[in-house]
Amino acid sequence: MSVATASPLVERDFAVPDIRCAGCISKLEQGLVRDRRIASARVNFTEKRVHIACTPDAETPDLVGAFALLGFEAHPIGDAPGEGDPEAASSRELLRAVAVAGFAMMNVMLLSVSVWSGAEGATRDLFHWLSAAIALPTVAYSGRPFFRSAWRALRHGGTNMDVPISIGVVITSALSVYETATHGQHAYFDGVVMLLFFLLCGRWLDSVMRDRARGGVTALLRNMGTGATVLRGEDSGHWVDATALQPGMVMLVAAGERLAADGVIVAGSTQIDLSLLTGESAPQAVHVDDHVHAGTLNLGAPIRVRITAAGADTAIADIARLMGEAAQGKSRYVRIADRAARFYAPAVHTLALLAFTGWMIAGAGWHHSLLIAVAVLIITCPCALGLAVPAAQIVAAGALMRVGVLIKDGSALERMAEVDRALIDKTGTLTLGRPVATDLDAVDPAHRPLLLALAQASRHPLSEALTRGLSALGVVPEAVQTIRETPGFGIEADWHGHKVTLGRPQSPAAGTALATELAIDGDPLATIRFADQLRPDARAAIDALAAEGIDATILSGDRAEAVAPVARELGITAQTGMTPQDKLAAIARHAGAGHRVLMIGDGLNDGPALAAGYASMAPGSASDAGKNAADCIFLGDRLMPVVQTVRMARRTRRIVKQNFALAIGYNIIAVPLAIFGHVTPLIAAIAMSGSSLIVVGNALRLKAAIR
């Protein structure tokens, strides 16, 4: 049923702890949109959240009811960072259940060993009753996660992977009690508690893995200051919690304090540790009018900051959201797993019924036929298939996050694995995008205070570079009056009756280099040249890409004279003077020749090319348009994260294929054995749980792929 679109849609997030597999994802995404008020629903498997777009008249209880109709318990999540973490509570509950099941399993196994050793008659019955006394309460407690999930699904006319598990556990327990009460030879309490123990181990490991994947987001948000001292006047101030900070407030940030909001410095200068946001370990000097961000650490002196963004609007919250969205994209492999899981429940129920019917027809009796049907139910659990793709992608995204790479889409890793050509923008991508004065040492020390006095009055990038360079040399600015800035020309001021200027060089000696000139009454005193430095590992990264079979080319809108030195130093070809349309045409030519292009760029003019590339990456310093269009974002000044991402993507592809092979191979071998009666419920429990653990363990090998 389609939703009316006359009114603007509102977006809401819900925590859904019971999302277990690809089948749950499919059921939620396809089932929720049948409600006329819900336009779209998207599951974040990593965080076990569902993001929905709905009409404004949809009340929260109604939306929670829509989840309940599908058999899922949902909790609304607010906008405050870090609000709501039902998965953490779920992990603790699972751990308690694992402990209980493990303790019970050890004790029941000890009793079973006595039975297997030849105990007969009353002694065997006694051991069976003791096993029942341990196993039945354990089933009631440790089996709750499966029973709750199965009951919710059945109550609303659906099914999920917990239904056959619950049926198998209940039937096996009931059969064991019957055997014990009738002095039978075999009881299966050991198999029941072992099944629960291994199933719970798999779910707990899966939950812990997701907790760790979310750990980067949580750690990032925890680095935000908890509040700030907001000034009421010149001297008085009061503490305001971070959730109550508002744009326009002026906060006092003491040395050693983390910023609680984004803002602009209005008084003071200091050094800021930006390592949280950029990965750059060297502190950065900041002055009046510089932008500073929440989560960064003030290392130097107290500063006053006018807040421009707080709470969910800060840059760090944006990054956290970006990280949270990383697992939402559906890759080709996930879609394959989705389709397979969709047919799982009907297929496994049919197989179990056919096995029971077939063995009854063959004359095996209801007891033996029922045992075989139970073994089929248990052994066909598709946990391994459901974990094959998300487990690998979650671990890979977490590992890349630790080296400063944010993956925006799960399918991005698949596309990154297939690229064979890199087209790279120059300014801000191969270079740092920050001009640096190269010959300040040649400037007469007597002229430096005057130079700083003019430079610090302008926000022009060259003036800012001069201010940084001269401040680092400990220069104190000269006192000047009547400062004026003329766009396109520069700064001028009055100094002891003379007109001093800082602007475009008039001397031809400056050539075509990026430069500015200090003059008094029109007489040039000093010419300062600037250079945009290459990223420190640019050459190593280009060589590493070539080693991976990826040839690189520069696509730049700059003049050939500016691009040629960079191309020579990196040993690659370049195309210069390119417009956004030219870059799109270049990508189309490469694609037409059968190449899969990795576009790397940062500027507003790179946005269309980033969107057109087969895969794309942008530095964290890129424009908003560039970051929105790119598949991945790398932080810091190094270019090597691009190579690390490609290598990780290729490794992830291999792991996913291995996981599929493991999951499919397990079913090919195990299901026929169960149908033909060669597997007991105990063996089925071990085999099914082992396959999930193997898939998760195989995915965890990706953690060591990046050092």
Side-chain angles (χ1 to χ4, degrees), residues 351-412:
L351 271 179
L353 183 61
L354 287 176
F356 176 80
T357 306
W359 280 95
M360 284 293 289
I361 294 173
W366 70 268
H367 182 268
H368 189 60
S369 301
L370 198 55
L371 280 178
I372 291 174
V374 168
V376 171
L377 283 174
I378 294 172
I379 211 164
T380 49
C381 179
C383 295
L385 188 63
L387 288 172
V389 182
Q393 291 187 345
I394 288 168
V395 175
L400 287 171
M401 200 182 297
R402 286 194 294 276
V403 297
V405 178
L406 309 181
I407 308 295
K408 293 173 62 178
D409 189 306
S411 67

Side-chain angles (χ1 to χ4, degrees), residues 633-653:
I633 295 171
F634 62 96
L635 306 177
D637 288 345
R638 297 171 61 247
L639 195 60
M640 195 56 80
V642 173
V643 184
Q644 291 174 311
T645 305
V646 172
R647 288 173 177 166
M648 176 59 86
R650 292 179 176 180
R651 185 79 185 271
T652 303
R653 181 177 58 182

Side-chain angles (χ1 to χ4, degrees), residues 350-597:
T350 304
L351 271 179
L353 183 61
L354 287 176
F356 176 80
T357 306
W359 280 95
M360 284 293 289
I361 294 173
W366 70 268
H367 182 268
H368 189 60
S369 301
L370 198 55
L371 280 178
I372 291 174
V374 168
V376 171
L377 283 174
I378 294 172
I379 211 164
T380 49
C381 179
C383 295
L385 188 63
L387 288 172
V389 182
Q393 291 187 345
I394 288 168
V395 175
L400 287 171
M401 200 182 297
R402 286 194 294 276
V403 297
V405 178
L406 309 181
I407 308 295
K408 293 173 62 178
D409 189 306
S411 67
L413 279 175
E414 288 179 13
R415 286 181 279 115
M416 287 292 292
E418 297 172 354
V419 298
D420 59 359
R421 187 62 53 92
L423 303 180
I424 312 176
D425 178 51
K426 181 183 78 70
T427 306
T429 305
L430 285 172
T431 67
L432 293 170
R434 299 194 296 266
V436 176
T438 58
D439 52 1
L440 274 182
D441 292 340
V443 177
D444 188 335
H447 297 151
R448 293 177 185 175
L450 192 57
L451 196 57
L452 179 57
L454 294 172
Q456 69 180 11
S458 171
R459 306 317 300 164
H460 190 279
L462 297 188
S463 295
E464 292 181 340
L466 264 181
T467 302
R468 286 195 297 270
L470 292 168
S471 298
L473 293 174
V475 176
V476 177
E478 187 71 69
V480 294
Q481 292 80 39
T482 323
I483 300 176
R484 301 171 296 278
E485 181 168 8
T486 305
F489 172 74
I491 302 285
E492 67 176 49
D494 295 332
W495 176 65
H496 298 312
H498 298 281
K499 186 175 81 171
V500 291
T501 59
L502 178 66
R504 181 180 301 170
Q506 302 302 311
S507 169
T512 59
L514 199 59
T516 187
E517 184 179 82
L518 174 68
I520 297 180
D521 294 330
D523 295 329
L525 293 182
T527 300
I528 303 97
R529 293 173 176 78
F530 298 84
D532 188 6
Q533 293 181 326
L534 278 175
R535 292 180 182 269
D537 59 351
R539 180 59 193 252
I542 295 297
D543 291 343
L545 282 174
E548 296 291 333
I550 302 172
D551 295 328
T553 300
I554 298 175
L555 291 188
S556 177
D558 286 356
R559 296 168 292 115
E561 296 83 0
V563 178
V566 174
R568 278 196 299 273
E569 186 167 346
L570 297 177
I572 58 178
T573 59
Q575 293 177 261
T576 61
M578 303 193 78
T579 64
Q581 290 75 16
D582 293 336
K583 293 184 178 182
L584 284 176
I587 291 174
R589 282 196 302 274
H590 284 286
H595 294 293
R596 292 178 170 174
V597 174

Side-chain angles (χ1 to χ4, degrees), residues 89-107:
S90 175
S91 295
R92 290 192 292 272
E93 181 190 355
L94 285 172
L95 183 58
R96 287 193 293 270
V98 167
V100 170
F103 180 77
M105 182 184 69
M106 288 187 292
N107 286 279

Side-chain angles (χ1 to χ4, degrees), residues 141-171:
Y141 178 79
S142 297
R144 289 181 304 164
F146 309 102
F147 299 153
R148 279 200 303 258
S149 173
W151 173 243
R152 277 195 293 269
L154 292 173
R155 191 175 54 180
H156 297 285
T159 184
N160 58 25
M161 68 163 59
D162 288 333
V163 172
I165 291 172
S166 299
I167 293 173
V169 168
V170 170
I171 291 178

